[in-house]
């Protein structure tokens, strides 16, 4: 195969996509702005696939952890990022942590040495008008390219900030305490889970929001304003004793079936994925530190045993509304010669970004061979993450997400929590190998 593909952005996703294509015999032009005299606000070096913050790829436990399973699946498909991470591993218990310089140097050297890869240090300012391309410019996409993406996708479908509300696994919510109703009891469908609070519980909870440890905005994040609609719950709490009761915790019209009366306040959760396994705490975006969120949110009636698929946060983060914009193989529906990959698609994390880069590269290679690219099964970590991004997630509330077992089709039947996780990973491993081997034959 001699066709060329243009990859924009040499981060985790772009580097993995380039490797997959190059190994499939496709010539790659990899454009990376670092090294051209420019730098993003978070990167420090010119190395490809630089880790901008922690040196951890998180859990490497492929038996009972979703990101560990994703590691294993990527290794099984010949991932460059995983190979470089494994070769530069440093001790970190069951986590995969790396010597960041050795790891990034290994990725850069292997791509630079590949005969099918041309690395060009340049900033790209517009989506290519023709030719197959993969956009993998990440959460800090340079401004002009972001404008071009906004023009192609519609400004409403491109976000510059994430305002993340926590997400709870449905099976960890105590439905003996909570009940289903419509939002503020308007409409016919009972779509919301309601957690009732007495006045004493509400006041203690508000105080917890005020007193809790918060993460600070970085200097370069301070310049990116958030909309009133995305105001952190802790900021709203500070505005007055009852501000939350007139906002996200409004109890109006919500008769608690146990008392027949409105509670003093409610916390509402709304279904967040098509499978109904994940529920979003409506309006609970917050800058509280993660440990503080777990402690405080478990004081909410009905959430004492809550398991969180995602905790809240607010960061600068450029990402598109993928469930609305992308097809099942990451192509922009309106401009199908362009694929998106990495954090800009709304996945979250180093490993997830590289994983989506891997799939974008493999899909593009299949397309160039004249084949219809086959997404991995939804029962695998790769397939579950991809399925969430490309349609499983609710487009109206779409926010970045790590891989987690809540994205997988549930396995029915009663099981202990540990056994259930093992059942997910065993099913995933078998299904991934069957998918990979079917593509080879
Ligand atoms: C400050 C910060 C800290 C983070 N910390 C963590 C963490 O600790 N752990 C974790 O798992 N995840 C973390 N993330 C989230 C995410 O995993 C990383 O951002 C990850 O690097 C995303 O991979 P990516 O390939 O999508 O983007 P990136 O790795 O950012 O790669 C995008 C590349 O595109 C280049 N680029 C941008 N615009 C252009 C352009 N116009 N032309 C050419 N090149 C361009 C950039 O220079 C960059 O090299 C963090 C994110 C941020 C912003």
């Amino acid at each position: 195969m001699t066709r060329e593909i243009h990859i924009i952005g040499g981060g985790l996703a772009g580097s993995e996509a380039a490797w997959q294509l190059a190994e499939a015999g496709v010539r790659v032009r990899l454009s990376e702005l670092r090294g051209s005299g420019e730098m993003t606000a978070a990167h420090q070096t010119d190395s490809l696939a630089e880790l901008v913050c922690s040196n951890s790829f998180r859990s490497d436990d492929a038996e009972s952890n979703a990101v560990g399973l994703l590691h294993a699946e990527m290794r099984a498909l010949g991932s460059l990022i995983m190979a470089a991470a494994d070769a530069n591993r440093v001790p970190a218990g069951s986590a995969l942590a790396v010597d960041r310089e050795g790891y990034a140097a290994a990725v850069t050297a292997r791509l630079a040495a590949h005969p099918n890869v041309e690395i060009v240090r340049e900033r790209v300012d517009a989506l290519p008008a023709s030719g197959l391309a993969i956009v993998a410019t990440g959460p800090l996409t340079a401004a002009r390219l972001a404008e071009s993406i906004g023009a192609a996708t519609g400004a409403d479908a491109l976000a510059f900030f994430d305002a993340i509300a926590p997400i709870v696994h449905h099976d960890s919510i105590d439905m003996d305490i909570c009940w289903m109703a419509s939002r503020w009891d308007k409409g016919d469908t009972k779509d919301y889970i309601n957690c009732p609070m007495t006045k004493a519980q509400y006041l203690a909870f508000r105080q917890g929001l005020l007193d809790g440890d918060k993460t600070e905005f970085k200097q370069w994040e301070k310049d990116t304003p958030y909309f009133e609609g995305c105001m952190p719950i802790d900021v709203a709490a500070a505005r007055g004793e009852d501000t939350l009761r007139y906002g996200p915790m409004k109890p109006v019209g919500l008769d608690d079936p146990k008392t027949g009366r409105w509670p003093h306040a409610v916390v509402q959760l709304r279904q967040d994925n098509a499978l109904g396994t994940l529920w979003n705490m409506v309006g609970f975006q917050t800058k509280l530190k993660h440990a503080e969120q777990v402690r405080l949110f478990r004081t909410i009636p009905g959430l004492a045993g809550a398991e969180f698929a995602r905790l809240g946060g607010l960061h600068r983060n450029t990402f598109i509304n993928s469930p609305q914009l992308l097809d099942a193989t990451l192509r922009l529906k309106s401009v199908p010669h362009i694929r998106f990959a990495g954090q800009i698609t709304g996945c979250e994390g180093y490993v997830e970004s590289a994983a989506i880069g891997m799939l974008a590269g493999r899909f593009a290679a299949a397309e160039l061979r004249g084949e219809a690219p086959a997404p991995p099964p939804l029962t695998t970590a790769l397939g579950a993450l991809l399925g969430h991004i490309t349609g499983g997630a609710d487009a109206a509330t779409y926010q970045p997400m790590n891989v987690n077992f809540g994205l997988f089709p549930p396995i029915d039947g009663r099981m202990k929590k540990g056994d259930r996780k093992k059942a997910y990973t065993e099913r995933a491993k078998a299904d991934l190998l069957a998918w990979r081997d079917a593509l080879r034959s």
Side-chain angles (χ1 to χ4, degrees), residues 347-368:
C347 65
E348 170 73 34
Y350 299 149
V351 186
E352 289 84 344
S353 297
I356 295 300
M358 165 175 252
L359 291 175
R362 292 174 84 92
F363 292 152
E367 193 177 326
L368 285 171

PDB file of all heavy atoms in Angstrom, residues 347-368:
ATOM      1  N   CYS A 347     -12.721  11.006  25.042  1.00  0.00           N
ATOM      2  CA  CYS A 347     -12.249  10.002  26.003  1.00  0.00           C
ATOM      3  C   CYS A 347     -11.323  10.743  26.961  1.00  0.00           C
ATOM      4  O   CYS A 347     -10.966  11.892  26.719  1.00  0.00           O
ATOM      5  CB  CYS A 347     -11.528   8.847  25.303  1.00  0.00           C
ATOM      6  SG  CYS A 347     -10.001   9.309  24.482  1.00  0.00           S
ATOM      7  N   GLU A 348     -10.959  10.111  28.053  1.00  0.00           N
ATOM      8  CA  GLU A 348     -10.170  10.814  29.064  1.00  0.00           C
ATOM      9  C   GLU A 348      -9.011   9.916  29.482  1.00  0.00           C
ATOM     10  O   GLU A 348      -9.225   8.747  29.817  1.00  0.00           O
ATOM     11  CB  GLU A 348     -11.072  11.127  30.269  1.00  0.00           C
ATOM     12  CG  GLU A 348     -10.377  11.644  31.503  1.00  0.00           C
ATOM     13  CD  GLU A 348      -9.893  13.077  31.379  1.00  0.00           C
ATOM     14  OE1 GLU A 348     -10.566  13.884  30.695  1.00  0.00           O
ATOM     15  OE2 GLU A 348      -8.835  13.382  31.951  1.00  0.00           O
ATOM     16  N   GLY A 349      -7.797  10.448  29.477  1.00  0.00           N
ATOM     17  CA  GLY A 349      -6.661   9.700  30.011  1.00  0.00           C
ATOM     18  C   GLY A 349      -5.667   9.303  28.940  1.00  0.00           C
ATOM     19  O   GLY A 349      -5.995   9.204  27.761  1.00  0.00           O
ATOM     20  N   TYR A 350      -4.430   9.081  29.403  1.00  0.00           N
ATOM     21  CA  TYR A 350      -3.352   8.695  28.476  1.00  0.00           C
ATOM     22  C   TYR A 350      -3.707   7.415  27.726  1.00  0.00           C
ATOM     23  O   TYR A 350      -3.570   7.336  26.505  1.00  0.00           O
ATOM     24  CB  TYR A 350      -2.062   8.391  29.255  1.00  0.00           C
ATOM     25  CG  TYR A 350      -1.459   9.509  30.065  1.00  0.00           C
ATOM     26  CD1 TYR A 350      -0.762   9.206  31.232  1.00  0.00           C
ATOM     27  CD2 TYR A 350      -1.532  10.847  29.668  1.00  0.00           C
ATOM     28  CE1 TYR A 350      -0.163  10.189  31.995  1.00  0.00           C
ATOM     29  CE2 TYR A 350      -0.938  11.844  30.433  1.00  0.00           C
ATOM     30  CZ  TYR A 350      -0.252  11.516  31.599  1.00  0.00           C
ATOM     31  OH  TYR A 350       0.334  12.478  32.353  1.00  0.00           O
ATOM     32  N   VAL A 351      -4.110   6.385  28.488  1.00  0.00           N
ATOM     33  CA  VAL A 351      -4.292   5.063  27.876  1.00  0.00           C
ATOM     34  C   VAL A 351      -5.479   5.104  26.911  1.00  0.00           C
ATOM     35  O   VAL A 351      -5.412   4.594  25.786  1.00  0.00           O
ATOM     36  CB  VAL A 351      -4.527   3.988  28.959  1.00  0.00           C
ATOM     37  CG1 VAL A 351      -4.577   2.604  28.329  1.00  0.00           C
ATOM     38  CG2 VAL A 351      -3.456   4.057  30.030  1.00  0.00           C
ATOM     39  N   GLU A 352      -6.570   5.733  27.361  1.00  0.00           N
ATOM     40  CA  GLU A 352      -7.762   5.819  26.520  1.00  0.00           C
ATOM     41  C   GLU A 352      -7.451   6.594  25.234  1.00  0.00           C
ATOM     42  O   GLU A 352      -7.910   6.225  24.146  1.00  0.00           O
ATOM     43  CB  GLU A 352      -8.899   6.509  27.283  1.00  0.00           C
ATOM     44  CG  GLU A 352      -9.499   5.685  28.418  1.00  0.00           C
ATOM     45  CD  GLU A 352      -8.742   5.773  29.743  1.00  0.00           C
ATOM     46  OE1 GLU A 352      -7.582   6.216  29.743  1.00  0.00           O
ATOM     47  OE2 GLU A 352      -9.317   5.392  30.783  1.00  0.00           O
ATOM     48  N   SER A 353      -6.668   7.678  25.356  1.00  0.00           N
ATOM     49  CA  SER A 353      -6.335   8.485  24.170  1.00  0.00           C
ATOM     50  C   SER A 353      -5.542   7.648  23.182  1.00  0.00           C
ATOM     51  O   SER A 353      -5.824   7.636  21.978  1.00  0.00           O
ATOM     52  CB  SER A 353      -5.541   9.727  24.583  1.00  0.00           C
ATOM     53  OG  SER A 353      -6.339  10.551  25.410  1.00  0.00           O
ATOM     54  N   ALA A 354      -4.533   6.924  23.712  1.00  0.00           N
ATOM     55  CA  ALA A 354      -3.733   6.068  22.825  1.00  0.00           C
ATOM     56  C   ALA A 354      -4.608   4.968  22.212  1.00  0.00           C
ATOM     57  O   ALA A 354      -4.454   4.612  21.034  1.00  0.00           O
ATOM     58  CB  ALA A 354      -2.577   5.461  23.603  1.00  0.00           C
ATOM     59  N   ALA A 355      -5.546   4.429  23.003  1.00  0.00           N
ATOM     60  CA  ALA A 355      -6.411   3.347  22.506  1.00  0.00           C
ATOM     61  C   ALA A 355      -7.272   3.842  21.342  1.00  0.00           C
ATOM     62  O   ALA A 355      -7.434   3.133  20.331  1.00  0.00           O
ATOM     63  CB  ALA A 355      -7.302   2.834  23.641  1.00  0.00           C
ATOM     64  N   ILE A 356      -7.821   5.038  21.486  1.00  0.00           N
ATOM     65  CA  ILE A 356      -8.663   5.553  20.390  1.00  0.00           C
ATOM     66  C   ILE A 356      -7.795   5.903  19.182  1.00  0.00           C
ATOM     67  O   ILE A 356      -8.213   5.745  18.033  1.00  0.00           O
ATOM     68  CB  ILE A 356      -9.515   6.745  20.891  1.00  0.00           C
ATOM     69  CG1 ILE A 356     -10.508   6.268  21.973  1.00  0.00           C
ATOM     70  CG2 ILE A 356     -10.270   7.423  19.756  1.00  0.00           C
ATOM     71  CD1 ILE A 356     -11.494   5.185  21.516  1.00  0.00           C
ATOM     72  N   GLY A 357      -6.546   6.336  19.427  1.00  0.00           N
ATOM     73  CA  GLY A 357      -5.601   6.539  18.321  1.00  0.00           C
ATOM     74  C   GLY A 357      -5.338   5.225  17.594  1.00  0.00           C
ATOM     75  O   GLY A 357      -5.289   5.172  16.363  1.00  0.00           O
ATOM     76  N   MET A 358      -5.172   4.171  18.387  1.00  0.00           N
ATOM     77  CA  MET A 358      -4.927   2.843  17.803  1.00  0.00           C
ATOM     78  C   MET A 358      -6.085   2.442  16.881  1.00  0.00           C
ATOM     79  O   MET A 358      -5.875   1.999  15.741  1.00  0.00           O
ATOM     80  CB  MET A 358      -4.784   1.837  18.945  1.00  0.00           C
ATOM     81  CG  MET A 358      -4.880   0.409  18.550  1.00  0.00           C
ATOM     82  SD  MET A 358      -4.550  -0.666  19.963  1.00  0.00           S
ATOM     83  CE  MET A 358      -2.952  -1.255  19.486  1.00  0.00           C
ATOM     84  N   LEU A 359      -7.305   2.627  17.357  1.00  0.00           N
ATOM     85  CA  LEU A 359      -8.460   2.239  16.538  1.00  0.00           C
ATOM     86  C   LEU A 359      -8.576   3.123  15.297  1.00  0.00           C
ATOM     87  O   LEU A 359      -8.845   2.616  14.200  1.00  0.00           O
ATOM     88  CB  LEU A 359      -9.742   2.311  17.381  1.00  0.00           C
ATOM     89  CG  LEU A 359      -9.849   1.247  18.475  1.00  0.00           C
ATOM     90  CD1 LEU A 359     -11.094   1.478  19.326  1.00  0.00           C
ATOM     91  CD2 LEU A 359      -9.862  -0.166  17.883  1.00  0.00           C
ATOM     92  N   ALA A 360      -8.338   4.433  15.452  1.00  0.00           N
ATOM     93  CA  ALA A 360      -8.426   5.330  14.280  1.00  0.00           C
ATOM     94  C   ALA A 360      -7.432   4.890  13.223  1.00  0.00           C
ATOM     95  O   ALA A 360      -7.753   4.845  12.025  1.00  0.00           O
ATOM     96  CB  ALA A 360      -8.174   6.779  14.698  1.00  0.00           C
ATOM     97  N   GLY A 361      -6.217   4.555  13.656  1.00  0.00           N
ATOM     98  CA  GLY A 361      -5.194   4.109  12.706  1.00  0.00           C
ATOM     99  C   GLY A 361      -5.606   2.818  12.016  1.00  0.00           C
ATOM    100  O   GLY A 361      -5.495   2.684  10.787  1.00  0.00           O
ATOM    101  N   ARG A 362      -6.098   1.868  12.789  1.00  0.00           N
ATOM    102  CA  ARG A 362      -6.487   0.574  12.198  1.00  0.00           C
ATOM    103  C   ARG A 362      -7.685   0.740  11.260  1.00  0.00           C
ATOM    104  O   ARG A 362      -7.754   0.101  10.199  1.00  0.00           O
ATOM    105  CB  ARG A 362      -6.791  -0.438  13.303  1.00  0.00           C
ATOM    106  CG  ARG A 362      -5.544  -0.817  14.086  1.00  0.00           C
ATOM    107  CD  ARG A 362      -5.857  -1.696  15.267  1.00  0.00           C
ATOM    108  NE  ARG A 362      -5.960  -3.090  14.908  1.00  0.00           N
ATOM    109  CZ  ARG A 362      -4.962  -3.974  14.944  1.00  0.00           C
ATOM    110  NH1 ARG A 362      -3.764  -3.610  15.332  1.00  0.00           N
ATOM    111  NH2 ARG A 362      -5.146  -5.217  14.592  1.00  0.00           N
ATOM    112  N   PHE A 363      -8.638   1.584  11.644  1.00  0.00           N
ATOM    113  CA  PHE A 363      -9.808   1.795  10.768  1.00  0.00           C
ATOM    114  C   PHE A 363      -9.378   2.438   9.446  1.00  0.00           C
ATOM    115  O   PHE A 363      -9.850   2.064   8.375  1.00  0.00           O
ATOM    116  CB  PHE A 363     -10.849   2.695  11.447  1.00  0.00           C
ATOM    117  CG  PHE A 363     -11.536   2.068  12.646  1.00  0.00           C
ATOM    118  CD1 PHE A 363     -12.020   2.871  13.673  1.00  0.00           C
ATOM    119  CD2 PHE A 363     -11.711   0.704  12.745  1.00  0.00           C
ATOM    120  CE1 PHE A 363     -12.672   2.312  14.773  1.00  0.00           C
ATOM    121  CE2 PHE A 363     -12.351   0.128  13.848  1.00  0.00           C
ATOM    122  CZ  PHE A 363     -12.828   0.940  14.850  1.00  0.00           C
ATOM    123  N   ALA A 364      -8.473   3.426   9.543  1.00  0.00           N
ATOM    124  CA  ALA A 364      -8.027   4.108   8.316  1.00  0.00           C
ATOM    125  C   ALA A 364      -7.270   3.133   7.424  1.00  0.00           C
ATOM    126  O   ALA A 364      -7.429   3.145   6.192  1.00  0.00           O
ATOM    127  CB  ALA A 364      -7.149   5.307   8.674  1.00  0.00           C
ATOM    128  N   ALA A 365      -6.443   2.272   8.030  1.00  0.00           N
ATOM    129  CA  ALA A 365      -5.688   1.295   7.235  1.00  0.00           C
ATOM    130  C   ALA A 365      -6.659   0.349   6.518  1.00  0.00           C
ATOM    131  O   ALA A 365      -6.483   0.039   5.330  1.00  0.00           O
ATOM    132  CB  ALA A 365      -4.730   0.511   8.129  1.00  0.00           C
ATOM    133  N   ALA A 366      -7.698  -0.103   7.239  1.00  0.00           N
ATOM    134  CA  ALA A 366      -8.680  -1.003   6.621  1.00  0.00           C
ATOM    135  C   ALA A 366      -9.376  -0.300   5.454  1.00  0.00           C
ATOM    136  O   ALA A 366      -9.567  -0.888   4.376  1.00  0.00           O
ATOM    137  CB  ALA A 366      -9.702  -1.458   7.668  1.00  0.00           C
ATOM    138  N   GLU A 367      -9.732   0.958   5.667  1.00  0.00           N
ATOM    139  CA  GLU A 367     -10.419   1.712   4.604  1.00  0.00           C
ATOM    140  C   GLU A 367      -9.522   1.792   3.358  1.00  0.00           C
ATOM    141  O   GLU A 367      -9.997   1.624   2.241  1.00  0.00           O
ATOM    142  CB  GLU A 367     -10.750   3.110   5.140  1.00  0.00           C
ATOM    143  CG  GLU A 367     -11.713   3.867   4.283  1.00  0.00           C
ATOM    144  CD  GLU A 367     -12.078   5.222   4.893  1.00  0.00           C
ATOM    145  OE1 GLU A 367     -12.162   5.348   6.134  1.00  0.00           O
ATOM    146  OE2 GLU A 367     -12.253   6.164   4.095  1.00  0.00           O
ATOM    147  N   LEU A 368      -8.228   2.027   3.564  1.00  0.00           N
ATOM    148  CA  LEU A 368      -7.317   2.117   2.422  1.00  0.00           C
ATOM    149  C   LEU A 368      -7.151   0.777   1.710  1.00  0.00           C
ATOM    150  O   LEU A 368      -6.867   0.732   0.512  1.00  0.00           O
ATOM    151  CB  LEU A 368      -5.945   2.628   2.887  1.00  0.00           C
ATOM    152  CG  LEU A 368      -5.894   4.127   3.192  1.00  0.00           C
ATOM    153  CD1 LEU A 368      -4.584   4.496   3.849  1.00  0.00           C
ATOM    154  CD2 LEU A 368      -6.099   4.939   1.912  1.00  0.00           C
TER     155      LEU A 368
END
